[in-house]
Amino acid sequence: AGMDPATTSKSNHCLDAAKACNLNDNCKRLRSGYISTCSRELSATEPCSRRKCHKALRQFFDRVPGEFTFRLLFCSCKDPACAERRRQTIVPSCSYEDKDKPNCLDLRGACRADHLCRSRLADFHANCQATFQSLTSCPGDNFQACLGSYVGLIGFDITPNYVDASTTSITISPWCSCKGSGNMEEECEKFLRDFTENPCLRNAIQAFGNGTDVSLPPKNPNPAVTVLPKAEKSPILPDDVNDSNTAYDTSVISTCSSLQEQGLKSNNSKEQSLCYSEAQLTTDVMPDQKTFMDPNEGSSWHRESRILLLVPILIPALGL
C-alpha cells in the first residue's frame, strides 16, 4: 500500500510469481480454489475447514507445474511486504497456524499414520538431509529434489512454512514445539532442526530465489550406466555361487556362450582370451576337471602321438 505499482513489481518477485500464475488457466483456477476454500469462515469459532483447505492445497501443488508453484513459494524478497506475501502463499491462518502448538513428535506420529504423508516425509528426509560431502549441503547437490520434497509436505498436518517475514534469514518450521516431550525431548529437537536449521533446505530456497540453481551440475547425480548386450539366454548360476562374484562370472559365461552359439573359430581376440581365462580358472579351482587345451595346438599333439606309436614297428624292420 502506498507504493508505486511499477516499482513494487520490479522489486517484488513474489508478486511477479502471482501474476505469472494468473496468466495460466490451470494455475489460476486451482490457486483461486484453495484460497477461497482456506479463507471461507464457517462460524465464529471455526474460521475455516482445515481438512478441506489441506485437500485443496494438495491438489494445487500436485496438479500445477513447478515452474509456477516453486516461484510462488520460493521467490526472493528484499522487503518485508514481499516476504509476507511469500509467507501467506498457503493461507497460513487456516492451513498452518492453530491456537496452540502441538508437540512435534505428535505431528510426526500423525504423519506416519497416513501412508501418503509417511512417504513424503521420508522423501523430505532423504532429499533434504544436510551433508558435508557436497558443495551445497544437499545430497548430490540436487536442489530440485529437496524443494520438491518440501512442497510434497504441504497440505498435511505437518505442513511447513516460513515462521516470519524476515528478509535477512529464512527459517522454515512446521507449526509445533518440543514442549512436554519428556525423555523424548532430544529426539524431538532433532526432528525440528531438520526444518529450522537445515542448510540444504535453506540453500535450495535461496538458490532458487536468486536464480543461481541453474548453474549447478545436472540434477541426476548418478552416472550413466552402459548396458552390455544381453545373451539370448541368461546363465543360470548354481545355488552355492557367491552373489558377490556374479558380475564377473556372468559376463564371462555370456561372452563364451555367445562365441559358441555363433560358431566362431578360435582366434586371439579379447573375447577368446577371456574364455581361456575362465577355463583356466576352472582348472585351477577344480583339479579333477580335464586340463584345458588350446584348439590350435590339437593337431600338433596328435602328430606326436602317431609318431610314438610307429616307433616299435620300425625298430624290427630296420634290424636294430
Side-chain angles (χ1 to χ4, degrees), residues 153-165:
L153 292 175
I154 296 176
F156 296 94
D157 288 340
I158 205 168
T159 295
N161 195 31
Y162 301 91
V163 298
D164 54 36

Side-chain angles (χ1 to χ4, degrees), residues 118-156:
R118 180 175 65 248
S119 173
R120 295 191 176 188
L121 181 60
D123 286 343
F124 172 79
H125 285 304
N127 295 320
C128 295
Q129 182 179 17
T131 174
F132 297 105
Q133 297 178 350
S134 65
L135 295 175
T136 61
S137 297
C138 286
D141 291 322
N142 195 336
F143 281 155
Q144 295 290 338
C146 180
L147 296 182
S149 299
Y150 170 90
V151 171
L153 292 175
I154 296 176
F156 296 94

